[in-house]
Amino acid sequence: IVLAQVLWRHAASSMRTLTESFLALGVVFATLAVPLALDGKWAAAVWAVEGAGLYWVGQLQTRRLPQIFGALLQVGAGVAFLPELFYYQSNWPWLNSDYVGCVLLAGAGIFVGYRAHSYSVWAHAQLFSRFMLLWGTFWWLLGGYNQIDHHVDYTYQIAMVVGYLSLTALLAEWAGARFPWRDGRNVALAVLPVLAFVFLIGFEKYHHPFAHVGWLSWIIALVTWYMILYRRDNERINTPSWTHYGGVWLVGLI
């Protein structure tokens, strides 16, 4: 990598092929060195971030091979990380390798999805972008559920899940509007069916959704939901009608 940097500074035009060869060798050796220095969780997380970086560099250079390799690293990192979640050992909630690893996987996947949406001109780029968005969202939700399952008392888990879903909707709406990315904002809309499913689970467990601090979490969730709908309507964004009357039905059921 140092040789690639030196060649790029002093002979970028005449030795581009050699420069890229040194860079490729450095990246491959760095990838192979990661599991030797770190445990499985951190190695997988670093692979995901490295894959996102490779995809970004490949886009800047308009080269397809680094982008393909970066996308494959995302999937490989997830496959390597998933078994590690079954061996949970941390006593600290949230500030542990399991959750941080899930967040890194989620962030790397969503970053690749955003780059594919905004800057890729190849065929099926939007389909790939949506897949990476779902991939990143999956790891974000899985990481949160894993922490709630291991560190929150059984009676308060439903309330915490509802709160985490509300946070997810807020982040998706804010990030999708900030960058902008319509598919990213639509992740917030997908939270309503998940909340309805959680409501059914909570009703089966506690027979009333307001039990065990549920009253607070559901108020936060419903206020968050209608704030998102209000904001989308003000911006004249086409929002499916089921998002409005679905929320009304959920309020009635609660």
Side-chain angles (χ1 to χ4, degrees), residues 1-11 19 22-23:
I1 291 174
V2 172
L3 287 172
Q5 185 178 16
V6 172
L7 288 174
W8 182 259
R9 286 183 176 180
H10 298 286
T19 302
F22 279 136
L23 180 61

Side-chain angles (χ1 to χ4, degrees), residues 50-72:
E50 183 182 8
L54 279 173
Y55 188 88
W56 175 63
V57 171
Q59 275 194 332
L60 294 180
Q61 297 179 344
T62 63
R63 298 176 67 88
R64 182 169 295 191
L65 188 60
Q67 296 181 53
I68 294 174
F69 187 61
L72 290 176

Side-chain angles (χ1 to χ4, degrees), residues 100 122 206:
V100 174
W122 290 326
Y206 309 134

